[in-house]
Amino acid sequence: MEQLEAQTRSLRSVDYQFGGGTCRDAVVVRIYWAQQLLNAEATDQVRARLHSAVADLHNLAGWTSFDSGQVGAAYHHFDRALEFARHDEDLTTNIVYRRGRVHLHHGAPGDALAYFQRGALSPLASSIMHANEAWAYARQGRAEEALRTLGKAKDAFARADDEHVPDWARFHDETDLTAMIGIVHTELGDTGPAISALTVAIEQFGPAMARSWTFCLIALASCHFMDGDSDVGRTVGVQAMGAAEGLRSERVWDRMRPMAHLAASRGVGLS
């Protein structure tokens, strides 16, 4: 069980740094072996932990499938994760959040809201849900609700216990929240606060979070193009393109395209 948990942590780190395409197959191939562990005799406490470990492996399989552009596989693994995580409220919330992100990414913010508004028990999980709820509102152009919900995300994060964070929620630290603030303001076209937040996040993200760093570069370039600052936009946009080349993430390229179109509308090429 400890080996399974350690492998999932390691593969999740690979996903963050290099993209889901680099590790999805390695995640999926471990699922059959992991599920065989459930046939072993164990105490109720150990069995519950095993179910959480298998659920989180499916959770990661869903996320890496999503990042690889395999939406059907992502939904399958998230559904399986929910089955195994019925006893684990915090993990269930994380799986629901990730399922909502698939809808948000693929142009269905209303459907995404239904997942993000599910609620959460822990302050950290609440912060994740509220931040993404704000993003969905912003995608719908509902600025007042987006900013109000973003405030809830900040408040929940301030109450979070940063010493006992499950691996599946560890990504949501102060830098990630700052990045989300920048993304929400970018969606709203509020470029001043967006540029400030994104600049801070870009400075603070380390190599271990290369994909998140790249997402922020894409958003920052978009903000500069929206402001008519094409020279800076091109510099940041080219940097984002270079960073994306080092990742195996379809999501990165999905987000790159609107920025590239925005650049082209300003007569700027990024090649």
Side-chain angles (χ1 to χ4, degrees):
M1 179 172 62
E2 291 179 355
Q3 182 182 2
L4 171 59
E5 291 170 341
Q7 288 179 349
T8 302
R9 283 195 300 272
S10 178
L11 289 166
R12 181 171 276 123
S13 296
V14 173
D15 169 62
Y16 290 152
Q17 186 167 3
F18 300 107
T22 61
C23 61
R24 178 191 177 273
D25 290 348
V27 175
V28 171
V29 79
R30 282 165 172 76
I31 289 175
Y32 176 78
W33 167 75
Q35 291 181 178
Q36 298 310 301
L37 296 177
L38 298 174
N39 296 323
E41 292 188 9
T43 65
D44 289 345
Q45 183 178 7
V46 170
R47 186 166 299 281
R49 184 175 167 186
L50 270 172
H51 273 82
S52 291
V54 173
D56 194 32
L57 189 61
H58 272 291
N59 189 28
L60 182 57
W63 189 251
T64 54
S65 295
F66 166 42
D67 199 52
S68 303
Q70 301 181 48
V71 176
Y75 284 143
H76 165 74
H77 286 295
F78 287 140
D79 288 345
R80 293 291 286 154
L82 288 171
E83 291 175 15
F84 285 111
R86 288 173 182 168
H87 66 291
D88 191 330
E89 177 61 27
D90 199 48
L91 178 53
T92 293
T93 300
N94 190 266
I95 298 162
V96 169
Y97 140 71
R98 293 179 189 277
R99 212 178 194 286
R101 280 289 293 270
V102 180
H103 289 284
L104 183 62
H105 183 80
H106 288 284
D111 292 336
L113 279 170
Y115 289 92
F116 299 148
Q117 292 172 339
R118 175 186 181 275
L121 291 179
S122 75
L124 187 64
S126 293
S127 181
I128 293 171
M129 287 299 217
H130 285 315
N132 283 273
E133 182 183 354
W135 189 358
Y137 280 134
R139 185 68 62 85
Q140 292 180 322
R142 298 162 66 178
E144 183 177 347
E145 290 144 302
L147 296 177
R148 182 174 65 248
T149 310
L150 195 58
K152 292 180 180 179
K154 297 176 188 177
D155 291 343
F157 185 82
R159 300 193 308 273
D161 177 3
D162 59 3
E163 293 185 3
H164 302 92
V165 180
D167 185 62
W168 55 80
R170 200 173 300 279
F171 73 94
H172 190 63
D173 56 12
E174 187 172 357
T175 303
D176 183 72
L177 179 59
T178 301
M180 288 296 293
I181 292 168
I183 293 295
V184 170
H185 282 287
T186 300
E187 289 282 358
L188 294 173
D190 195 0
T191 56
I195 289 172
S196 296
L198 292 167
T199 300
V200 171
I202 288 166
E203 290 173 351
Q204 293 180 347
F205 273 131
M209 299 298 288
R211 184 177 55 207
S212 295
W213 182 70
T214 305
F215 284 145
C216 287
L217 287 172
I218 293 169
L220 181 61
S222 298
C223 286
H224 284 299
F225 286 128
M226 284 189 278
D227 276 354
D229 194 350
S230 295
D231 289 340
V232 176
R234 184 182 187 282
T235 298
V236 179
V238 169
Q239 187 179 9
M241 294 279 284
E245 293 288 351
L247 300 168
R248 289 183 60 189
S249 169
E250 291 299 318
R251 282 194 300 145
V252 165
W253 293 108
D254 288 345
R255 289 210 219 170
M256 190 77 71
R257 280 186 281 273
M259 184 271 285
H261 290 156
L262 188 58
S265 72
R266 304 299 196 268
V268 177
L270 299 177
S271 57

